[in-house]
Amino acid sequence: MGPATKLAFGVFLISCSSGAILGRSETQECVFYNYNPSSENRGNRSSIESCVGEKDKRLHCFATWRNVSGLVEIVKQGCWLDDVNCYDSTECVEKKEDPDVFFCCCEGNMCNEKFFYNPDMQPVQTTSNPFTQKPPLFSTLLYSIVPIMGITAIVLLSFWMYRHHKLAYPPVLVPTQDPGPMLPSPTLVQKPLQLLEIKARGRFGCVWKAQLLNDYVAVKIFPIQDKLSWQNEYDIYNLPGMRHENILQFIGAEKRGSNLDIELWLITAYHEKGSLTDYLKANVVTWNELCHIAQTMARGLAYLHSDFPGHRDGHKPAIAHRDIKSKNVLLKSNLTACIADFGLALRFEAGKSAGDTHGQVGTRRYMAPEVLEGAINFQRDAFLRIDMYAVGLVLWELAARCTASDGPVDEYMLPFEEEVGQHPTLEDMQEVVVHKKLRPTLRECWQKHPGLAMLCETIEECWDHEAEARLSAGCVEERVIQMQRQTSVSAPEEIVTVVTMVTNVDYPPKESSL
């Protein structure tokens, strides 16, 4: 074969490949419909939606509908993000057997105008041939080359999906027990949920940012071996009275997959600012911001610790968190704090066991002295005081990144990072906290600011070595309110006088019995 022949053959292959790729249906517009019976003004909306996305991503159309007594009730239609399940599907067909809500996606302009339910996976009858007739020679060449290209594409796609699955999810071990039936999630039943990106990884799995129709949500995915943590967190969220501004909003829970690929999902509200740890690493805080974060965190924990027999939703029991740390305090867009992660939490209900009260749980650097010693009094108040020790450390983290004092603001450090580094052992923490009775350093310059001076006293009373001497969460909230009032009425020239007066301020009494 001469050079000219080789060149001609190469051009021929490239042109055939390009033709196959260009032949793919591109989605630019989709039928849009939004079922919204609760809206008095707008009602249901129906129109055409232009699809916009990243250049290297494919766009699709989708439709969701319900079968109501034999009648089709459309829930939503519109554009859908890049999804391998929609690739090269020119018709919108739901193939799952007897779903609660039907969902399908497809490629091609307005391809979601008609949708079908075909559970037996039989070929869908079409009324017209989407491809125009080609000359016999072209058809012969097409039939010769397309199978080879198709096999190659399938192999590459399978490899990509395998690699994507391996990177996106932590390894799943062989299940030791059946996690039971899927838990009801009424708010998810009618809405498709799409994972977007991993935001964090932890000992109990990973947290994804996901899209639930037009809203972003957080999806915490547990592998099957952490079923008990998932179950406990689900049970805590479903207790009466757990809806509170300063507790992370729970949306639903689901079981995905089967056999070896079972995953346990927990869906909550999504907060873009992330955890207090992440925020303090990247930002300093003003005095007012510190007070707002500290006050709302303390308010959330005070509510969690409280027992409300007469709550409108039923008896809300007292709950001990057992893993308070800045990583488990999330920040809303206005820096309002909310408490998250109840995998280790205990609830205290009259006449019922509190559950697994194994004492030495939580994050080592935030463990109270009695936890490190293994000398816990297994009573409700003892567990609540363990939380308050950790609150003192979180308040120290806030103070260390506050701009209110005259001194320099240090780079963010975890509590005890100066003393034991970033990965302390249990023995390291026992030596520092129990035997030497050390605590993170309270900077001398903080004492020159009237509010920070009061905060330092509050911190010391939270992390007191004697559990019975620690403040309650409600008392911390009152202290922070008083601090902010104290500083808001102080003019700059009165600072020296105020420092003198601070020692005579009547603090709210300590709640020695929580």
Side-chain angles (χ1 to χ4, degrees):
M1 186 182 290
T5 307
K6 290 181 180 179
L7 178 61
F9 185 68
V11 171
F12 169 72
L13 288 179
I14 292 170
S15 64
C16 288
S17 302
S18 302
I21 293 170
L22 293 173
R24 187 181 77 201
S25 298
E26 296 290 345
T27 304
Q28 296 177 349
E29 291 183 338
C30 298
V31 173
F32 176 81
Y33 181 82
N34 187 23
Y35 177 66
N36 191 14
S38 61
S39 175
E40 297 179 359
N41 299 325
R42 302 182 67 178
N44 301 335
R45 292 184 296 153
S46 180
S47 62
I48 296 175
E49 181 178 14
S50 296
C51 302
V52 180
E54 300 177 20
K55 291 183 179 179
D56 60 339
K57 302 290 186 180
R58 291 167 73 160
L59 300 172
H60 319 287
C61 300
F62 83 96
T64 58
W65 71 95
R66 291 179 295 182
N67 186 342
V68 182
S69 302
L71 298 177
V72 174
E73 181 181 279
I74 303 174
V75 178
K76 191 169 179 69
Q77 292 170 286
C79 296
W80 190 243
L81 303 176
D82 191 352
D83 189 334
V84 69
N85 296 313
C86 312
Y87 283 7
D88 304 319
S89 177
T90 58
E91 293 195 329
C92 204
V93 182
E94 168 65 276
K95 297 181 179 180
K96 293 182 182 177
E97 289 196 27
D98 196 25
D100 293 321
V101 171
F102 298 83
F103 172 83
C104 66
C105 57
C106 54
E107 285 190 330
N109 282 330
M110 311 291 286
C111 65
N112 65 333
E113 185 174 10
K114 296 181 180 179
F115 42 87
F116 307 91
Y117 174 50
N118 189 16
D120 296 328
M121 302 187 70
Q122 297 295 330
V124 179
Q125 296 294 326
T126 57
T127 56
S128 62
N129 186 357
F131 298 101
T132 57
Q133 292 295 322
K134 303 295 180 183
L137 176 60
F138 182 84
S139 300
T140 303
L141 293 173
L142 197 63
Y143 292 148
S144 302
I145 295 171
V146 166
I148 299 173
M149 294 178 61
I151 292 171
T152 305
I154 290 171
V155 171
L156 292 174
L157 182 62
S158 301
F159 177 74
W160 178 84
M161 291 180 67
Y162 171 77
R163 290 288 297 165
H164 179 74
H165 182 82
K166 291 287 283 183
L167 292 173
Y169 298 99
V172 178
L173 302 182
V174 177
T176 56
Q177 53 183 313
D178 181 10
M182 183 184 295
L183 298 169
S185 298
T187 56
L188 298 178
V189 168
Q190 302 175 16
K191 303 177 183 179
L193 181 65
Q194 189 171 20
L195 301 180
L196 300 178
E197 60 176 316
I198 292 180
K199 302 300 289 186
R201 289 186 186 272
R203 60 185 167 187
F204 292 136
C206 54
V207 178
W208 284 76
K209 178 181 179 181
Q211 188 162 2
L212 193 61
L213 291 184
N214 297 324
D215 297 321
Y216 290 125
V217 295
V219 179
K220 190 174 180 181
I221 300 180
F222 298 74
I224 186 61
Q225 65 266 28
D226 291 319
K227 184 238 179 183
L228 292 179
S229 178
W230 172 78
Q231 185 71 55
N232 191 65
E233 193 156 3
Y234 174 80
D235 291 343
I236 293 292
Y237 273 124
N238 277 280
L239 289 171
M242 280 297 286
R243 292 273 181 178
H244 189 272
E245 180 189 10
N246 305 119
I247 292 176
L248 181 61
Q249 181 191 354
F250 173 69
I251 296 174
E254 291 189 354
K255 181 182 73 171
R256 295 290 180 106
S258 59
N259 299 327
L260 301 183
D261 293 324
I262 291 177
E263 289 175 342
L264 306 169
W265 289 20
L266 204 69
I267 300 96
T268 64
Y270 174 75
H271 298 298
E272 186 66 45
K273 290 190 183 296
S275 71
L276 180 57
T277 303
D278 298 330
Y279 187 79
L280 293 179
K281 282 180 181 178
N283 303 275
V284 293
V285 292
T286 64
W287 172 246
N288 284 334
E289 288 171 341
L290 180 151
C291 289
H292 182 67
I293 295 170
Q295 182 186 339
T296 51
M297 174 185 69
R299 183 185 303 150
L301 192 58
Y303 182 80
L304 195 69
H305 284 179
S306 298
D307 186 292
F308 287 116
H311 194 279
R312 64 178 181 275
D313 296 333
H315 183 179
K316 182 225 167 268
I319 299 167
H321 189 282
R322 296 209 298 171
D323 197 19
I324 291 292
K325 56 182 176 181
S326 54
K327 198 74 177 174
N328 288 338
V329 177
L330 303 184
L331 295 180
K332 300 182 181 180
S333 57
N334 63 352
L335 295 185
T336 294
C338 58
I339 310 295
D341 195 341
F342 298 98
L344 295 174
L346 287 178
R347 59 185 181 273
F348 300 93
E349 299 175 276
K352 295 183 181 180
S353 168
D356 178 17
T357 53
H358 174 63
Q360 241 168 16
V361 298
T363 304
R364 290 190 193 110
R365 73 174 65 249
Y366 290 89
M367 284 182 179
E370 60 270 29
V371 178
L372 292 168
E373 285 184 288
I376 300 176
N377 173 9
F378 290 93
Q379 300 297 319
R380 185 193 75 169
D381 289 357
F383 285 104
L384 305 188
R385 291 175 184 131
I386 289 168
D387 284 350
M388 294 315 300
Y389 171 87
V391 167
L393 297 176
V394 176
L395 292 175
W396 174 87
E397 292 176 70
L398 279 167
R401 296 291 283 161
C402 182
T403 59
S405 66
D406 292 334
V409 178
D410 297 328
E411 290 295 318
Y412 174 79
M413 294 185 73
L414 291 164
F416 297 107
E417 190 171 336
E418 283 184 335
E419 293 80 7
V420 296
Q422 292 191 348
H423 304 287
T425 64
L426 194 63
E427 292 73 20
D428 292 335
M429 295 308 301
Q430 288 171 338
E431 177 65 21
V432 169
V433 175
V434 178
H435 302 140
K436 294 183 178 178
K437 297 187 178 181
L438 295 179
R439 299 292 184 269
T441 304
L442 300 174
R443 306 294 182 197
E444 189 175 336
C445 60
W446 299 352
Q447 302 296 335
K448 298 176 183 177
H449 183 275
L452 283 175
M454 295 174 68
L455 181 62
C456 287
E457 292 189 33
T458 302
I459 290 171
E460 288 179 317
E461 291 180 74
C462 283
W463 67 30
D464 196 293
H465 201 82
E466 297 299 326
E468 291 78 7
R470 294 174 197 152
L471 300 177
S472 69
C475 187
V476 170
E477 181 187 359
E478 290 299 321
R479 286 280 186 92
V480 176
I481 293 171
Q482 188 172 352
M483 280 184 252
Q484 197 166 19
R485 287 175 182 166
Q486 179 80 20
T487 53
S488 64
V489 299
S490 302
E493 60 270 20
E494 296 173 327
I495 287 179
V496 175
T497 307
V498 170
V499 171
T500 306
M501 294 172 61
V502 164
T503 56
N504 297 321
V505 170
D506 292 329
Y507 289 141
K510 287 190 213 174
E511 299 178 23
S512 58
S513 178
L514 295 175

